[in-house]
Amino acid sequence: AGIGVGFLSLIDGDDVELSNLPRQLTFDMDSLDLNKSDELMQRLYAQNDDIDITVNPDQLDKFNIDELLIGNDLVLDCTDNFDTRLLINQWCVMNVVPLMSASVIGWQGQLLLVDKPAEHGCYECLFGGLSDQKANAQQSCSTMGINPAMVGVVGSYQANQALRYLLKLPTPLSNK
């Protein structure tokens, strides 16, 4: 929003909870109990009211994903659960839409760009199916925690790399 990306689509069915505040830096005490996507939209418009933002305050699911993601040039996955992550990945693969997925657990973060899944694989190809992830439940956010500083680092890096990708600038994520 700050750099002027013309269209953003925000999808989140959750409301802001006190436990979100240490790691979701956009929100504060005044945001508690408000829908995350609605609150984020207000904050982004405060930065730049000359952009177009659509908001869907529902959970992304197999019934609404086509309607919500179609027409996007790049999908940024910032979700915190594997069911939604895999659903987004499958949709992006089927619709040949680039996917940039970011996640943090403990003191570690990762960022992945799936530009051309038919040629290079996809999120599920790399990390396996949901059953594999559930088998590794000992390494979950609830057991490992989340370092809020790492969320800021990975989120900033994701935003930077998304801008580079959209502007067709070289990025180490796309090997261009």
Side-chain angles (χ1 to χ4, degrees):
I3 200 166
V5 171
F7 173 75
L8 299 172
S9 177
L10 308 174
I11 306 164
D12 199 327
D14 289 339
D15 292 339
V16 178
E17 299 175 9
L18 188 61
S19 64
N20 300 140
L21 299 185
R23 67 183 188 279
Q24 296 177 7
L25 307 176
T26 301
F27 307 121
D28 57 28
M29 294 297 288
D30 292 336
S31 305
L32 293 177
D33 300 324
L34 299 175
N35 174 265
K36 289 179 181 179
S37 56
D38 287 333
E39 182 69 1
L40 181 56
M41 178 187 66
Q42 298 302 320
R43 301 204 178 217
L44 293 175
Y45 274 140
Q47 282 186 327
N48 181 355
D49 63 359
D50 196 33
I51 58 174
D52 183 18
I53 301 175
T54 63
V55 172
N56 189 296
D58 297 320
Q59 294 295 349
L60 188 70
D61 60 34
K62 65 182 180 179
F63 302 108
N64 64 13
I65 193 167
D66 285 327
E67 173 188 340
L68 297 176
L69 295 185
I70 202 75
N72 287 289
D73 296 323
L74 175 65
V75 173
L76 301 183
D77 173 14
C78 309
T79 60
D80 62 0
N81 70 75
F82 291 111
D83 291 330
T84 305
R85 224 174 252 289
L86 292 174
L87 176 67
I88 292 169
N89 174 72
Q90 291 164 358
W91 186 91
C92 287
V93 168
M94 288 177 34
N95 291 279
V96 194
V97 175
L99 167 65
M100 189 175 293
S101 180
S103 64
V104 173
I105 187 167
W107 292 83
Q108 299 178 11
Q110 65 184 21
L111 185 60
L112 169 72
L113 172 63
V114 180
D115 187 10
K116 298 175 183 172
E119 297 175 30
H120 304 290
C122 66
Y123 182 89
E124 190 169 3
C125 298
L126 184 60
F127 293 105
L130 182 60
S131 60
D132 296 337
Q133 299 296 342
K134 286 187 175 178
N136 291 326
Q138 70 273 11
Q139 292 188 354
S140 69
C141 294
S142 59
T143 61
M144 301 282 294
I146 297 174
N147 173 5
M150 183 57 70
V151 173
V153 168
V154 172
S156 293
Y157 191 61
Q158 182 183 33
N160 184 61
Q161 294 306 308
L163 289 171
R164 294 185 67 82
Y165 181 85
L166 292 171
L167 294 170
K168 299 182 182 358
L169 297 173
T171 170
L173 295 177
S174 65
N175 203 20
K176 294 180 184 176

